[in-house]
Amino acid sequence: MSDTTNPTSTQAPTPAELAAMGPVRRWIATHPTIWEFILFNVLSNISTIARFVVTWIGTAVFVGALGLTAPFHFLIFNYPESGNGLGGFLTFLTAEVLAQVVNFFVQMKWVFKSDSSFRNAAWKYAILAVVIVVVNLVLPGYVTALCQGWGMNAGIAGTIASIVNTLLAVVVSYPILKFWIMPKGK
């Protein structure tokens, strides 16, 4: 028998259980994968909010208060002065690390409800997070500089760079999390 209090249960509800459910729970029970993707996107906003808040605070502290706008170039990272320089790099590094930690727990416990061991999921997630963080550290320097070249201020340019990072992370991370890092029944 399935758990009618948990519409994302792995067992399909019986016709009698479906009939006893309200229309929303019935839809969720009959479309669990779509519901999971919706949850993934909605609950990812918890880490997105963390990323934005840290981006705004980091920009205010590293760029505004400390004036760390000297160009920062290291390997693949390119943060010219117009991309907020070293302060922009430090802002995005801090924001990404915090967002990835928050996202790991949200996805494992609330979205995928994975029964994978923490240790098994954590090392895999760390690989994904490093890839996401590297991309999310490389891309904002270019996006921020482009936006500021179009006349946007540092805060708006940083916000747009965060939006671009977030959309890219969704497209890459959902299938990897679902099938490799946090599968059910492993």
Side-chain angles (χ1 to χ4, degrees), residues 60-180:
V61 171
F62 294 125
V63 177
L66 297 177
L68 299 176
T69 58
F72 176 78
H73 307 284
F74 179 72
L75 299 173
I76 59 173
F77 304 112
N78 179 33
Y79 284 76
E81 187 173 344
S82 63
N84 293 335
L86 177 60
F89 175 78
L90 294 174
T91 294
F92 282 103
L93 175 63
T94 306
E96 284 306 312
V97 168
L98 179 65
Q100 293 306 322
V101 169
V102 167
N103 196 50
F104 174 80
F105 290 104
V106 167
Q107 298 305 332
M108 185 160 188
K109 299 300 178 191
W110 294 346
V111 174
F112 297 105
K113 296 177 177 71
S114 177
D115 53 3
S116 294
S117 73
F118 174 81
R119 184 172 42 172
N120 190 38
W123 75 264
K124 293 175 185 177
Y125 188 84
I127 292 169
L128 174 64
V130 166
V131 170
I132 289 172
V133 168
V134 168
V135 170
N136 286 349
L137 287 173
V138 171
L139 197 56
Y142 295 101
V143 173
T144 302
L146 177 66
C147 290
Q148 287 184 325
W150 291 341
M152 297 176 197
N153 69 35
I156 291 172
T159 300
I160 289 172
S162 287
I163 290 169
V164 169
N165 282 348
T166 300
L167 292 174
L168 184 60
V170 167
V171 170
V172 171
S173 64
Y174 178 78
I176 293 172
L177 286 169
K178 179 175 178 67
F179 298 111
W180 183 52

Side-chain angles (χ1 to χ4, degrees), residues 7-9 27-37 174 178 184:
T8 59
S9 175
W27 185 89
I28 291 169
T30 57
H31 301 87
T33 302
I34 295 171
W35 177 244
E36 183 180 73
F37 186 71
Y174 178 78
K178 179 175 178 67
K184 292 179 184 164

